């Protein structure tokens, strides 16, 4: 047996080797974590227009308010996918299905020669009022009504809690009839003439059609909307049929040629409109804070105080805004806020210098006086208008030429399917 001298192991050298090996593995782990650990495997994705070898090749990372997480936000959390930030590698694209509350990955542009794992990074943001309208599966009118509290541009303080857009320029633009219109609000219990009452969107053309008379019959014309010449033009005449015709345009009462062949109602627009019962009540007393507020006009319009023999209601499709619509559209500003404006008679907004009221009212037009549907009951030919100075006042003679902006109630089943409501990106309507 050969004897050899015992040698003590070099502990320091062994430690260095072990430390080096561990460091290598640690650095590799950090690298892999940076590349993949924030991505979680999910085999429940819906894959569109493409296949790949193993669903395990698909990974995703979820960020909520910029913070990474390993779970999706819940369906009722108030969040939605931010498509503008979310993306996938390898040519895939990602979207979100709000109904099934799951991701949709489209592999139609996937590079078949690329064998690397597909990573989808998803950023969730707090759902805005517009996002939530587009995500819901309800009619636009019902959603705006039920979620009005989410928007600072909507108020529900009239006697029937109708959800109205307010302010100088709210995001209430809609694309309708191949032009811009605006949403006055979502109105409750609108009767379609058969006794069926529903919540419906009420919209108004953004720009007036032009200057027209309210009526042209008799010496000064009449104030019965159910028989007025303007009503006939809008509902059965040239405007409704998108053609040419005869209209009354000034105090003389003479009928002149008018052409709506390019801006009358289209066939598609007509499919989105339904009849409504329009209230035709009025008043002869409106010049004080005790009888001339927006809330007073709201009651007058729904009342039965009319000139002798005049109709109190009318069933049809195209009308005009009410004086109360104008009053309730203000947000006010500064010392004269909305609550203050609603405590000031509408005929005093301009004459007494309450510019905060009318300048923060999107229905106000500084360039022209506008006809309303509200009637002055103290005479056979008197009507109310909104002046370019900001007041609501009565006109002696509905033959007078004033700006006319058609107003209508959309069918109750109309939905908003796109857009943000901005003038540059109006809401898109569909049935």
């Amino acid at each position: 047996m050969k004897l050899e001298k015992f040698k003590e192991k070099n502990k320091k050298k062994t430690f260095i080797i072990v430390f080096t090996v561990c460091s290598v593995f640690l650095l590799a782990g950090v690298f892999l974590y940076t590349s993949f650990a924030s991505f979680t495997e999910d085999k429940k994705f819906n894959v569109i227009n493409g296949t790949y070898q193993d669903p395990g090749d698909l990974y995703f990372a979820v960020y909520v308010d910029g913070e990474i997480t390993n779970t999706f936000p819940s369906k009722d959390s108030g969040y939605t996918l931010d498509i503008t930030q979310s993306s996938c590698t390898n040519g895939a694209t990602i979207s979100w299905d709000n109904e099934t509350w799951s991701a949709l990955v489209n592999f139609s542009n996937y590079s078949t020669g690329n064998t690397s794992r597909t990573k989808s990074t998803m950023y969730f943001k707090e759902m805005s009022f517009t996002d939530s309208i587009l995500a819901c599966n309800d009619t636009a009118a019902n959603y705006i009504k039920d979620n009005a509290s989410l928007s600072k541009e909507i108020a529900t303080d009239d006697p029937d809690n109708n959800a109205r857009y307010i302010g100088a320029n709210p995001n209430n633009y809609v694309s309708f009839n191949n032009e811009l219109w605006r949403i006055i609000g979502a109105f409750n219990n609108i009767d379609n003439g058969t006794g069926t009452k529903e919540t419906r969107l009420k919209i108004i053309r953004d720009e007036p059609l032009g200057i027209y008379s309210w009526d042209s019959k008799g010496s000064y014309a009449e104030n019965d909307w159910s028989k007025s010449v303007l009503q006939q033009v809008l509902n059965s005449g040239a405007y409704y049929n998108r053609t040419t015709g005869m209209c009354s345009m000034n105090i003389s009462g003479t009928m002149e040629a008018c052409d709506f062949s390019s801006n009358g109602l289209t066939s598609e627009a007509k499919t989105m409109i339904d009849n409504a019962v329009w209230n035709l009540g009025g008043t002869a007393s409106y010049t004080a804070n005790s009888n001339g507020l927006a809330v007073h006009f709201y009651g007058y319009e729904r009342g039965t105080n009319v000139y002798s023999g005049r109709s109190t209601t009318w069933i049809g499709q195209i009308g005009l805004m009410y004086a109360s619509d104008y009053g309730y559209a203000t947000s006010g500003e500064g010392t004269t806020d909305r609550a203050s404006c609603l405590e000031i008679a509408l005929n005093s907004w301009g004459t007494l210098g309450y510019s905060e009221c009318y300048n923060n009212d999107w229905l106000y037009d500084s360039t022209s006086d506008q006809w309303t549907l509200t009637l002055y009951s103290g005479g056979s030919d008197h009507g109310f208008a909104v002046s370019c100075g900001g007041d609501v006042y009565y006109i002696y003679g509905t033959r007078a030429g004033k700006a006319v902006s058609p107003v209508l109630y959309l069918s109750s089943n109309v939905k908003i399917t796109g857009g943000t409501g901005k003038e540059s990106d109006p809401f898109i309507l569909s049935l």
Side-chain angles (χ1 to χ4, degrees), residues 160-360:
D160 291 316
N161 303 119
N162 299 308
R164 299 172 180 269
Y165 276 93
I166 65 172
N169 189 30
N171 295 316
N172 62 342
Y173 290 89
V174 294
S175 178
F176 178 77
N177 199 49
N178 298 326
E179 56 198 9
L180 282 179
W181 288 54
R182 303 187 75 171
I183 301 173
I184 295 177
F187 284 71
N188 301 314
N189 300 314
I190 301 302
D191 192 331
N192 65 4
T194 67
T196 299
K197 296 183 178 181
E198 300 168 300
T199 299
R200 293 167 61 180
L201 284 185
K202 185 179 184 181
I203 66 174
I204 183 171
R205 193 174 191 269
D206 182 42
E207 293 291 336
L209 287 174
I211 305 299
Y212 298 95
S213 304
W214 205 91
D215 192 45
S216 61
K217 299 185 295 293
S219 299
Y220 294 96
E222 297 178 356
N223 57 3
D224 187 344
W225 179 255
S226 68
K227 301 176 182 178
S228 87
V229 171
L230 179 59
Q231 180 270 115
Q232 294 169 20
V233 170
L234 296 178
N235 287 273
S236 59
Y239 177 73
Y240 190 83
N241 293 304
R242 200 176 177 88
T243 185
T244 58
M246 302 298 289
C247 304
S248 178
M249 301 181 180
N250 52 59
I251 197 66
S252 68
T254 57
M255 301 296 287
E256 302 177 25
C258 51
D259 185 355
F260 297 108
S261 57
S262 62
N263 61 359
L265 290 179
T266 65
S267 298
E268 181 183 14
K270 291 177 185 179
T271 66
M272 296 187 180
I273 310 171
D274 197 1
N275 281 340
V277 175
W278 296 75
N279 297 290
L280 305 179
T283 185
S285 302
Y286 68 102
T287 58
N289 291 348
S290 60
N291 60 13
L293 309 181
V295 67
H296 295 134
F297 273 97
Y298 189 85
Y300 300 147
E301 292 153 2
R302 286 154 181 77
T304 57
N305 189 14
V306 295
Y307 186 78
S308 178
R310 301 292 183 253
S311 301
T312 58
T313 61
W314 167 76
I315 299 173
Q317 295 189 351
I318 316 298
L320 304 171
M321 71 172 174
Y322 290 107
S324 63
D325 288 332
Y326 170 69
Y328 277 116
T330 187
S331 65
E333 188 178 56
T335 56
T336 315
D337 59 10
R338 177 175 172 81
S340 300
C341 291
L342 294 180
E343 292 299 323
I344 301 168
L346 296 181
N347 80 304
S348 299
W349 280 13
T351 56
L352 297 184
Y354 291 106
S355 58
E356 298 93 342
C357 297
Y358 60 79
N359 280 331
N360 290 284

Side-chain angles (χ1 to χ4, degrees), residues 152-163:
K152 295 180 180 179
E153 297 182 327
I154 297 177
T156 57
D157 52 1
D158 72 20
D160 291 316
N161 303 119
N162 299 308

Side-chain angles (χ1 to χ4, degrees), residues 3 5 22 26 45 99 108 155 183 267 316 326 360 385 392:
L3 297 178
K5 184 177 179 181
C22 291
L26 179 62
F45 274 69
E99 285 299 303
S108 58
I183 301 173
S267 298
Y326 170 69
N360 290 284
V392 170

Side-chain angles (χ1 to χ4, degrees), residues 48-106:
I48 304 172
N49 296 330
T51 60
Y52 50 92
Q53 293 179 348
D54 179 3
D57 290 340
L58 176 61
Y59 287 76
F60 67 95
V62 177
Y63 289 82
V64 178
D65 288 335
E67 298 291 331
I68 194 165
T69 178
N70 59 1
T71 59
F72 290 138
S74 64
K75 189 171 185 178
D76 299 321
S77 63
Y79 283 86
T80 188
L81 185 69
D82 187 345
I83 295 296
T84 61
Q85 291 196 68
S86 302
S87 63
C88 295
T89 60
N90 299 339
T93 58
I94 193 163
S95 59
W96 189 255
D97 187 331
N98 285 291
E99 285 299 303
T100 61
W101 202 248
S102 61
L104 300 175
V105 181
N106 190 325

Side-chain angles (χ1 to χ4, degrees), residues 112-158:
T112 56
N114 193 334
T115 59
S116 64
R117 292 175 173 178
T118 298
K119 309 167 191 175
S120 294
T121 306
M122 304 167 65
Y123 289 87
F124 286 84
K125 63 178 181 177
E126 191 171 357
M127 189 177 292
S128 69
F129 182 67
T130 300
D131 291 329
S132 57
I133 290 177
L134 299 180
C136 77
N137 193 35
D138 201 353
T139 66
N142 281 336
Y143 192 85
I144 290 175
K145 177 195 72 173
D146 294 338
N147 297 277
S149 60
L150 300 177
S151 175
K152 295 180 180 179
E153 297 182 327
I154 297 177
T156 57
D157 52 1
D158 72 20

